[in-house]
Amino acid sequence: MKRDKIIFYVATGLLTLLMFFSAGMYFFNHAEVAKMFMAFGYPTYIIYPYAVVKLLGVIALWFLRGKFLNEWAYAGFFFAFVLAFFAHIMIGDGEQLGAAIAMVLLIVSYIYSKKI
């Protein structure tokens, strides 16, 4: 049981750091993120709302464990990471590793959230 908690906290903590870094980039390096979004073909007006949603999802992962919104946060992150992975592959910028790492952390966090 203690091992499961440690794995959950490490995976969720690393995922949280990754999401804080990502949201920070969206807020504080808007010009670079806007270029990336335009390369993907996405509208740039979704950058700030997307950053806020990432932060709200992290809050849901930590504070609403086992609740309805927690499951939706995991689902939202899952789809975001899958779509990010394939978006990076489609434009060929070689940045899909971040999405793959985030996906692994998300899956580990989800599995071990059910065990504790």
Side-chain angles (χ1 to χ4, degrees), residues 5 27 38 41 50-51 55-56 67-68 78-79 85 105 108 111 115:
K5 280 187 178 184
F27 284 124
M38 286 189 284
Y50 191 39
L55 295 175
L56 291 174
K67 305 264 194 269
F68 178 74
F78 176 80
F79 288 114
F85 180 82
L105 292 172
V108 171
I111 289 169
K115 291 184 177 187

Side-chain angles (χ1 to χ4, degrees), residues 68-91:
F68 178 74
L69 287 177
N70 180 273
E71 294 292 325
W72 277 99
Y74 276 114
F77 280 135
F78 176 80
F79 288 114
F81 299 154
V82 168
L83 293 173
F85 180 82
F86 286 110
H88 284 289
I89 286 178
M90 293 301 290
I91 67 167

Side-chain angles (χ1 to χ4, degrees), residues 12-35:
T12 308
L14 291 173
L15 181 63
T16 299
L17 289 175
L18 191 62
M19 290 300 99
F20 281 163
F21 176 75
S22 174
M25 288 283 294
Y26 287 15
F27 284 124
F28 301 117
N29 200 1
H30 188 271
E32 288 298 316
V33 174
K35 281 188 225 174

